[in-house]
Structures are given as C-alpha cells and as structure tokens.
Amino acid sequence: MKKLALILLLISSEVFPQINYPSYYQQNDMSLAPAGAIKFGLYGWDNPALLSTLHQPDFLFTWNNKTGDWNDFNNWGIFTAIPNFGFTMYNQSSGKLHITDFKLSAGFGNNSFSAGFGYGWSTGDVVHFNRADLFTFGLLLRPDKHVSIGLVGNLPTNGEREGILDLAIRPFGNQLITFFGDYVLSRDMKPEDINYSFGAIIEPLDGFRLIGRYFENKSINIGAELSFGSFAISSASHLNEDGKQIYNTYGIRIGAYDRNVFSRLGEGDKIVEINLAGGLKYQTFRFLDKSNSLVDLVDKIETAKKDKSVSAIAVNLSGAIINREMLWELREKLKKFKSAGKRVYVYIDRAGMDEYQFASVADKIILDPMGTIVLNGYLLGRTFLKGSLEKLGIGFHELRYFKYKSAAETFSRDKFSDADKEQRQRLVDEYYEIARKDICEGRNFTSSEFDNLIDSLFAYLPDEAVKLKLADTLGRWSDISKIIESYEKETKTVINPASLEKYNLPPDNHWGEKEKIAVIYAIGGTSMDDGIKARSLVKQVESAFADNNVKAIVLRVDSPGGDALAADLIADVLRKNKGTKPIIVSQGFVAASGGYWLSMYADTIVAAPTTITGSIGVIGSFFYNKNLKENLGISTDFVKRGRFADLGFGFTLPIIPISLPDRDFTEEETQIIETRIKTLYKDFVNKVASGRNKSAEEIEKIAQGRVWSGRDGLRIGLVDVIGGLDDAIEIARIKAGLAKGEFELREYPPRPFIDFSQFFPDLLPIKFNTNSPALEDLKLRLEFNGLPMLMLPIDEIELLNDWNY
C-alpha cells in the first residue's frame, strides 16, 4: 500500500521551490478519525472518494477553541455535500491575521471502489499561512465488509506533496468496533511533524460513537458523537503527551439521516400508506416513475413489518389494475405483516372478486359511500372465429395431436372441445375455492354464507355491504387518517413507505459490495426479439452465472410460451449451470407451455395457487387462402425449383403487411409436420422428466398439453412450493447460505432509465392499440405459420397482457 501512496506523491516534480505547506494532520484537525474509518469523513475535504458513499445531502459545522473560548469561533469549518459532490470552507484566525480555505470535490464509484478529485484555493493572508492552490486525488477500496483502505494525494501548486494511506478494520463486519490507522508519506517531512496515528471507534448504541486516536507525537484525541437522526452533535478533546487538554473541537451536523437510538422511542406511532392505483410492474423506470414494482412493494411491506415505529398499513385499492396472482402475493405478504401483531386497513371503491379477495386480509375494510362490491364468481370464456374465417375465405388447418393442447381452437371450432372445457372448468373451480377459503378466513364467513353471497346478488351497494359484513365502515380515502384514528383510539402519523428508516439509513454500516441474488425476469411470450427477448436475455442469464458476487439465481417466469427455440436458449443455460448456484423459478400469473419449458431445470419451482402452469405439449396451425384472394381480385404467380418451394407462398395484402399462403398442406406435408410436432413433444416430455427427476411415463400422464393451477401443479409434482417471488428469494437465500440482511438483489435486465413516451402528448382523439394481444397473437402465428409452437390459447394470452406489465 505504501507503493500506491508513493505513486500519488511522485506525480508531482521539483518544479516549484518548497515551502512549509500545512501537513495532512494540520489540515484535518477538525476530523475525529481518518476519512475511510468514519461515515463520510469531512465530505471531500480529506478524501473526495468518500463522496460516492453519501446517500443524502448533509451539512456539518465545526469549530474549536485553539485561540479563545469555545464560543469565540476564531477557527471554524463548513463541510457540506450532496451525493458525489462536496463544498467546504475552513477559516482560521490568529490575531489580526486570518485565512479561509475552500475546496470543491467530487467522488464516484460503488461500495467496493471509488475515486475522487478535489480542487482547493485560499483567500486572506495566504503568504503568512503558507497557502497555495491544492489538488487532491483520492481512492477508496473496500473489498469486503471488514476492510477499508483510503489513498490520498495532496498536491499543492507550490509546496510539499503528500501521500496518505489510511486503513480501517472491522472485526465483526459492522459498525460496532472499527480499528484504524493512517500514515503520511512526504519527501521533506520535518522531524517534529507527525507521520502516523491510530485508534478505534466504538458504536455501542446506534448513532452513539466513541472515538480515541493516538498520534506519533504522543498527543491523544478523545471524542464522541451523538446522532438524533437528521441532527447530530459531536465533541473531541485534544490532549498533549502529558494528558493535558490543549483545545476542544465541536460539531453540529444537519441533513442526512443517521441511525440513532431515539428512533425506537416512538414505537407504533406510524401508519404506512400504500397506494396501488394503476398497474403493478415487474420493473419500473429509474427516473420519473412513481409506479410500483412487485419486488419493491413486497420489500416495503417487509420493512414496515420489521420497523417498530409502524403499527399498521393502510392500502388504497382504488384504481388498481393488478392480476390475481400478484394480488395473492401481496395478500400473503400482508398476512405475514399481521402475524407480527400489526394491523391492515384496506380502502376500496369498486371491487370485483380478485380485489375483494385481496381486501379480505384487512382488519378493517373501508368502502367508499358511492362504491360497489361485485361478487359474481369466475368465468373463463372464449371467442371462436371459425365461421368468420369461412366467410372471409381464409382456410385454417389445426395441427393438433394432443388431447388438451387447445391453443388453435379459436380458429378451428365454434365451441369448446370436451378436453378444453374440462381443464378450464378445473381452473375456474380452483379460483373459486381459493377465493372462498381466503375470504371466509378473512371475514369470518362460513362456506355456505360465501356461496349464498355469490348466488344471491352479484353487486352489493355500500349500506348493504356493511350490513352483510362485507365492509366494516363507509368513508373516503381522503379521510383515512380520521377513520383509522377512530379504530386506533389514538393519533397516528400516516407516512409514505419511502420515509421508513431502512430507506434513509447511511450505507456505512456495511463496507464493500454485498453478495447478490440475481432476479431475472422472463416476461411475455417466448420469442427471440419480443416478449422475453431471448436473444438478449440469454446473455443476461450467462452474465449472472459468471458473476462471482451472484450467489443464487431466481428466474421470474410470466409467459404463455411461443417459440421453442427462444424458450430453450434460456433453459439450456440453466441446465448447463445447474449445481454451480441455486436456481429457483418463481412462476407468476402464467408459466405454461414455453413458460414451463423455461422453468423445468430449476432446483425449486415456486408458484402461486392460481398460477396457470404445465401445458406440456406442442401444437401447430396453418392459415391459408380459400377464396379471399379471389374475392379481393388479387392474383399471384411464381416460378420454382424444389418440390416444396411453393409451401407458404401467397399473396400479401396491400397496406396491411400480412401474407396468406395460396394453399393448404398436402397430405404428405401434413405427415412431415406431424412428425416434427410429435418429435418436439417427446423431447419436451423427456426434458421435463430429466429436470423434475421423474420418468417420461410419469410426465406423460400429466402432459398432453393440459394446463394446471399452481395448487394442482404442487399435487402432481410440476411445482415444489406454493408461494410468490418473495418466497423464491428466501429459498434462494437459504440455499446459498446467505445471512438475512447480508445480501442485495440484482435485477436482470437492468431497469431502464426513463420512459420518454411520457413527454409526448396524445394528439389523436382515437387511440389505436397496435400492441393488442389479438394482433400480436395473429402476427406470431403467421410468423410461425405451420411450425410447431409451445403456446397457450389467445384468450389466456389476453389475460396475461391485460394487467399492464
């Protein structure tokens, strides 16, 4: 390390004559400890690299009584900073002489390595105080939670250059005890100057720090700092070698929140407000996006559960557009919140079955005076286009060889097949039974009372809802504080989750980068460049496995399938790396067909009870011209060489870039595609059997393209655990051997920066949905016209897309 410090020192050359520029210890006589050992140092004054660790704007005013009483303010310093940037000014007076030193600093990096630069200048009696413009270069290395290494080069434009090395060690890996030392390297250090110091910082209580520091000249500093949160006071006594007090340094800090024991005094006096208006995304934009993401919202509930100042959560469900699987995950998280002895309040205005099932977790449901609760059960329906295609003159060939693989029935039939009706009825029954169980437990209904509510009246008005105990009281969200106060019997403060202490604490309690659990999102159809975007996602998955700091993989799958190649690209990376790191799959609203292909090599598959999973099967379909071309007056012609060269050739509609083949498959061609589909199906079954440690015969019994609920999936062995993304992350943590709070999530792909579309107004009175599920389904089918596909029916794809991912 001395060599690194010398490199900083030797950057300068003997261009200017030497003067006695103030040494490192003289410049930093206001600091309690070396920069890398205590929080953020002096905000760039000492080591500008520390500015990269600052989490909020902060202001520190310090002064000492070197030349007078404690309140004379002859020597004082102002140290102020925002994350990455700092400005300081330091004033010293001696009789009628004074000097004011200024410095602008910047620091950038991460928790493991950062670098910084500072430029300083002075005003006042510059010659008397031996001042010159100063360039400061700093590095901060924190390879793990135990070690912090700081390197600083002070390079005045006229005077003696210095290199400073500081080292801090935390034996327990946290802020409880920190040992530190620093050493100054200089070409012409005078014998009476100080070369080194060492000492320790003890933090027996949050925000209460005791500091002792011994210097080479046998002087000692003894200090203390007490944090009240966003305000702190500090004091240090400077003692000579005989133990006699020379002077004191005092400090007042205002701004950034710091851990403190006083935060525990107001236990149970806060209500956390959660607004679920709009959709619940998997990933939000990094800037100018106030919407919720699943992983963030779950973390906020968990943080509120652990925060002793929080007694309840109030949820605004108005305007929520969230699918039933995500609502179930949030409901389960709120159940765990309640298990900590805390309460949940839910406000609803218009609630259907899924919303009311979620709301039933609440201790109290508040219904808007103009609101409605609609309890009409569940239905899965389908639109059939066989007759429409015939009228249009479009032919459709269903290439179906497995009982339950019904993805093409929309175009081939005018009603459900018996097999499709069977599996859909089972899903509807599962939705109903799960909702009945949750609502009866939450509202203390019997099963017969629930059935009667469903079948007696499909919509309940406010007064009737309260009378039937569907809601506890009527009120508006704007009055939620008063409503809660009437139940709590005491005044509570309603806060935003961002105000919770965890999200405002400084990061200095953990040095270095925490170990990571990768959360990888495979969302949408299995396609190479759309949906899951397999072409780029496979690189992200490979990157997560290659990163030594990533200790486990959680793959979140919400996909109805599509292209087998796209699904296999991702699945094959999981297969090849299985055993190197824990691999956990969390299945969302749907993880079937190609979505299950993505899941099958996981160590553990986690699904919600209502997740649509399975659909182990392959299907094909072929659109072709019957007489549409002729009716439109379009004709085609071609020349060819090759027996099957004209298969798929046809006309393209003007304006609309959709092509339709001129003819259907021949019998021979149908046989060829049948062989391909059955071969792919056999491969699918064998791969699932390998991934699930079962025989192909066992998988065949539950395959044939059949979809299952997550609860049924657990029963038949397609799923291992009933739970959500949060449960999958916890399983990954345990399997990776990571301690709670000692890891972070790393999302793949990285969150996008900003949604530029929000800055462009809608100029047209009519909006055209070019990304509608029906149109996307048609484009996908035509792209793979006649080819084997792993996909669900269009109506189930529509359900997936309707929830605003």
Side-chain angles (χ1 to χ4, degrees):
M1 291 302 171
K2 289 185 178 180
K3 290 182 178 179
L4 289 173
L6 282 169
I7 290 172
L8 293 172
L9 175 63
L10 295 174
I11 291 175
S12 62
S13 60
E14 300 286 343
V15 176
F16 301 101
Q18 297 297 310
I19 62 172
N20 186 23
Y21 190 88
S23 71
Y24 165 76
Y25 290 110
Q26 289 177 294
Q27 294 175 57
N28 294 282
D29 63 347
M30 296 287 192
S31 63
L32 299 175
I38 182 167
K39 289 183 63 186
F40 315 113
L42 291 178
Y43 306 99
W45 177 262
D46 38 16
N47 185 347
L50 262 292
L51 290 167
S52 68
T53 67
L54 183 64
H55 65 302
Q56 294 171 343
D58 210 7
F59 173 90
L60 172 66
F61 177 71
T62 64
W63 73 101
N64 62 41
N65 58 354
K66 273 185 178 181
T67 58
D69 295 331
W70 73 271
N71 58 352
D72 284 347
F73 298 107
N74 289 312
N75 300 320
W76 52 264
I78 290 176
F79 307 88
T80 183
I82 60 175
N84 303 113
F85 298 96
F87 171 73
T88 58
M89 56 186 300
Y90 186 17
N91 182 83
Q92 298 177 68
S93 298
S94 177
K96 295 182 179 181
L97 301 171
H98 81 279
I99 189 80
T100 303
D101 299 314
F102 301 88
K103 184 180 281 188
L104 283 171
S105 307
F108 300 92
N110 54 38
N111 292 332
S112 293
F113 175 81
S114 57
F117 169 80
Y119 170 69
W121 69 97
S122 305
T123 62
D125 297 298
V126 175
V127 175
H128 175 82
F129 285 94
N130 296 325
R131 289 296 192 271
D133 288 356
L134 176 69
F135 293 95
T136 299
F137 300 89
L139 298 176
L140 180 69
L141 297 87
R142 287 176 171 171
D144 59 36
K145 63 183 180 180
H146 298 286
V147 179
S148 175
I149 302 169
L151 295 165
V152 178
N154 284 327
L155 312 176
T157 56
N158 190 3
E160 188 174 344
R161 278 68 166 166
E162 293 178 318
I164 301 98
L165 166 68
D166 70 70
L167 172 67
I169 296 174
R170 287 178 168 177
F172 302 113
N174 57 33
Q175 72 276 13
L176 182 61
I177 298 177
T178 304
F179 297 106
F180 62 80
D182 54 3
Y183 193 91
V184 180
L185 295 159
S186 178
R187 291 192 303 272
D188 298 309
M189 181 73 71
K190 293 185 177 181
E192 66 270 19
D193 286 339
I194 302 170
N195 286 280
Y196 66 83
S197 76
F198 59 84
I201 304 168
I202 301 174
E203 190 170 339
L205 300 172
D206 284 348
F208 177 53
R209 303 175 182 97
L210 299 171
I211 302 101
R213 188 177 187 182
Y214 175 86
F215 295 88
E216 181 187 13
N217 65 354
K218 299 182 182 181
S219 63
I220 298 173
N221 289 357
I222 298 175
E225 182 181 48
L226 180 61
S227 170
F228 296 86
S230 296
F231 170 77
I233 56 175
S234 61
S235 177
S237 292
H238 302 258
L239 312 176
N240 64 17
E241 58 183 305
D242 298 323
K244 182 179 178 181
Q245 187 180 62
I246 307 172
Y247 64 94
N248 289 336
T249 296
Y250 309 95
I252 296 175
R253 185 191 62 80
I254 301 173
Y257 188 83
D258 188 12
R259 53 186 175 270
N260 62 96
V261 296
F262 304 99
S263 64
R264 302 177 183 178
L265 300 180
E267 292 190 9
D269 63 346
K270 295 184 178 68
I271 309 289
V272 174
E273 173 186 294
I274 294 178
N275 194 326
L276 294 181
L280 185 59
K281 301 177 181 178
Y282 277 120
Q283 290 184 294
T284 57
F285 292 92
R286 298 187 191 185
F287 302 105
L288 302 178
D289 189 351
K290 295 182 179 180
S291 53
N292 295 306
S293 73
L294 177 62
V295 70
D296 288 344
L297 191 52
V298 165
D299 184 68
K300 289 172 183 175
I301 297 173
E302 177 68 18
T303 299
K305 185 184 83 169
K306 294 178 179 178
D307 195 313
K308 293 183 179 180
S309 70
V310 174
S311 63
I313 282 178
V315 182
N316 182 1
L317 203 58
S318 177
I321 307 173
I322 305 172
N323 72 52
R324 69 173 60 96
E325 190 279 331
M326 283 187 172
L327 284 173
W328 179 85
E329 289 198 47
L330 295 180
R331 189 183 192 280
E332 288 297 298
K333 199 65 187 177
L334 289 173
K335 280 176 66 176
K336 294 177 182 178
F337 177 85
K338 289 177 64 177
S339 70
K342 302 187 178 188
R343 296 168 297 284
V344 174
Y345 299 88
V346 175
Y347 165 82
I348 55 178
D349 48 15
R350 297 184 179 93
M353 289 293 297
D354 295 333
E355 292 78 18
Y356 189 75
Q357 179 185 353
F358 168 82
S360 66
V361 74
D363 294 278
K364 302 295 178 183
I365 295 177
I366 299 99
L367 176 62
D368 193 273
M370 294 296 290
T372 308
I373 297 175
V374 178
L375 301 178
N376 57 347
Y378 293 93
L379 176 143
L380 284 177
R382 193 166 189 175
T383 298
F384 297 91
L385 302 176
K386 178 182 179 181
S388 299
L389 294 180
E390 290 176 352
K391 289 181 181 294
L392 290 170
I394 298 175
F396 181 77
H397 189 153
E398 182 183 26
L399 300 162
R400 175 179 177 178
Y401 307 102
F402 308 107
K403 180 178 179 180
Y404 295 98
K405 200 65 178 175
S406 61
E409 287 190 8
T410 293
F411 307 101
S412 64
R413 300 180 61 88
D414 54 17
K415 63 179 181 180
F416 288 133
S417 66
D418 291 342
D420 196 29
K421 195 168 189 176
E422 176 191 349
Q423 63 183 348
R424 287 168 181 268
Q425 185 63 57
R426 178 59 184 168
L427 287 177
V428 166
D429 291 342
E430 282 287 276
Y431 298 158
Y432 187 92
E433 290 171 11
I434 292 165
R436 178 169 61 186
K437 175 180 176 293
D438 285 347
I439 293 172
C440 287
E441 287 180 357
R443 302 301 297 174
N444 294 317
F445 294 143
T446 65
S447 294
S448 59
E449 287 174 331
F450 175 83
D451 293 339
N452 188 55
L453 286 168
I454 298 295
D455 296 331
S456 295
L457 189 66
F458 68 85
Y460 293 90
L461 296 177
D463 290 336
E464 191 170 22
V466 173
K467 181 180 178 181
L468 294 171
K469 299 182 180 180
L470 290 168
D472 295 286
T473 189
L474 303 181
R476 287 268 156 86
W477 178 252
S478 57
D479 299 320
I480 194 67
S481 297
K482 294 179 181 178
I483 295 170
I484 292 176
E485 188 176 328
S486 69
Y487 288 114
E488 299 282 325
K489 306 302 181 185
E490 56 183 297
T491 301
K492 302 283 186 179
T493 303
V494 177
I495 64 169
N496 186 283
S499 300
L500 291 169
E501 185 177 54
K502 171 188 169 181
Y503 302 121
N504 293 280
L505 287 173
D508 71 301
N509 64 328
H510 191 289
W511 288 344
E513 291 286 329
K514 290 184 178 181
E515 294 176 318
K516 304 292 191 293
I517 291 177
V519 177
I520 304 172
Y521 297 106
I523 311 301
T526 54
S527 180
M528 295 297 288
D529 300 302
D530 296 308
I532 69 170
K533 298 180 179 177
R535 202 183 306 277
S536 59
L537 184 63
V538 69
K539 297 177 182 178
Q540 302 286 344
V541 178
E542 289 170 341
S543 174
F545 276 110
D547 191 333
N548 292 330
N549 205 30
V550 172
K551 303 304 179 183
I553 307 293
V554 174
L555 180 70
R556 176 67 172 198
V557 178
D558 224 332
S559 173
D563 181 7
L565 172 60
D568 196 56
L569 275 179
I570 308 302
D572 197 48
V573 177
L574 301 181
R575 180 187 63 79
K576 290 177 179 177
N577 288 279
K578 192 169 184 176
T580 62
K581 297 177 181 182
I583 302 170
I584 315 300
V585 163
S586 169
Q587 296 185 336
F589 184 82
V590 57
S593 201
Y596 196 82
W597 191 298
L598 291 168
S599 310
M600 60 192 178
Y601 291 125
D603 298 312
T604 306
I605 296 177
V606 182
T610 58
T611 294
I612 300 173
T613 190
S615 192
I616 301 166
V618 185
I619 196 169
S621 60
F622 192 67
F623 292 90
Y624 62 93
N625 175 65
K626 272 192 171 180
N627 50 44
L628 175 62
K629 181 178 72 172
E630 290 73 18
N631 292 339
L632 293 174
I634 298 173
S635 62
T636 58
D637 199 359
F638 61 85
V639 294
K640 74 169 186 174
R641 181 172 179 177
R643 187 177 174 190
F644 305 112
D646 64 323
L647 179 59
F649 170 77
F651 70 98
T652 300
L653 291 172
I655 303 176
I656 304 173
I658 294 178
S659 297
L660 204 61
D662 277 348
R663 66 172 179 84
D664 191 6
F665 286 121
T666 64
E667 184 175 337
E668 181 184 8
E669 289 165 344
T670 301
Q671 184 62 48
I672 292 171
I673 196 67
E674 178 181 346
T675 300
R676 290 186 63 187
I677 289 174
K678 289 182 177 179
T679 300
L680 183 56
Y681 172 74
K682 184 178 180 180
D683 189 38
F684 195 175
V685 169
N686 288 334
K687 285 184 174 181
V688 172
S690 174
R692 301 299 297 161
N693 294 315
K694 295 180 179 294
S695 67
E697 291 74 20
E698 289 177 292
I699 299 300
E700 178 64 32
K701 291 177 182 178
I702 55 177
Q704 289 287 317
R706 174 151 188 178
V707 295
W708 303 91
S709 70
R711 198 164 65 164
D712 278 342
L714 177 65
R715 176 176 56 82
I716 64 176
L718 291 177
V719 169
D720 299 300
V721 176
I722 294 297
L725 179 58
D726 185 53
D727 299 292
I729 292 170
E730 177 63 8
I731 293 169
R733 180 193 70 80
I734 294 171
K735 284 182 175 289
L738 301 175
K740 288 187 175 181
E742 291 293 308
F743 71 95
E744 293 176 336
L745 301 181
R746 177 175 290 170
E747 295 181 295
Y748 297 83
R751 294 191 183 195
F753 281 97
I754 192 168
D755 179 12
F756 288 102
S757 65
Q758 65 182 303
F759 302 112
F760 299 97
D762 292 323
L763 301 178
L764 297 176
I766 301 175
K767 295 182 181 179
F768 297 93
N769 186 6
T770 57
N771 295 316
S772 72
L775 184 58
E776 291 298 315
D777 175 78
L778 180 59
K779 287 166 59 180
L780 184 65
R781 289 179 186 275
L782 290 175
E783 180 184 352
F784 291 91
N785 205 17
L787 299 177
M789 297 188 68
L790 312 172
M791 65 183 302
L792 290 179
I794 183 175
D795 57 299
E796 293 176 2
I797 298 174
E798 286 176 333
L799 284 172
L800 174 66
N801 283 275
D802 281 345
W803 299 109
N804 260 349
Y805 292 132

